[in-house]
Amino acid sequence: MTREQKFMAEAITLSQNGIRNNDGGPFGCVIVKGEEIIGRGNNRVTSTNDPTAHAEVVAIRDACKNIDSFQLEDCEIYTSCEPCPMCLGAIYWANPKVIYYANTRTDAANIGFSDAMIYDEINKTLTDRIIPIKAIMRDEALEVFKEWQNKEDKIVY
């Protein structure tokens, strides 16, 4: 078994344990730095009533807490399924060096976890999306952006 297979096996085990414990859907994820797993997560959407509690997001939160950082530079993500759009966004914000996945988005869709609607929505204009998106109070919100821009002690990320 290769190093990568060993870490992916752990992600798959987390996905299996999660469904056996009724935590949520069949998804698991580990985050590795060097040779150490620094973050673990399995889907916990239904057990926590949190639609963002996907395995990757749970693992990112765990890893960042464990290394006391909001960045996962030099880390690897092993996820039992190709990341959904939300998780992919979270992964990109965390800035790891590589993502490994096992099941594909098609495999997930075949068991009832389809992200096709979200992928379709991303490519639409704001006015053509299923859920209306309406801009209000931009001038007031821009004042906060200006304050951030001028803040001397901000932590840039």
Side-chain angles (χ1 to χ4, degrees), residues 48-117:
T48 62
N49 293 318
D50 179 354
T52 68
H54 289 201
E56 296 89 341
V57 172
V58 172
I60 288 168
R61 290 173 180 162
D62 187 46
C64 289
K65 178 186 66 150
N66 289 334
I67 64 169
D68 195 29
S69 175
F70 56 84
Q71 292 286 281
L72 297 175
E73 296 164 340
D74 298 321
C75 293
E76 301 165 294
I77 304 236
Y78 293 83
T79 182
S80 66
C81 189
E82 182 180 353
C84 75
M86 177 187 70
C87 292
L88 188 60
I91 290 167
Y92 271 88
W93 283 118
N95 197 29
K97 66 180 180 179
V98 65
I99 304 164
Y100 295 97
Y101 70 93
N103 291 319
T104 67
R105 71 172 87 164
T106 302
D107 297 330
N110 288 339
I111 62 163
F113 293 93
S114 177
D115 299 320
M117 183 273 292

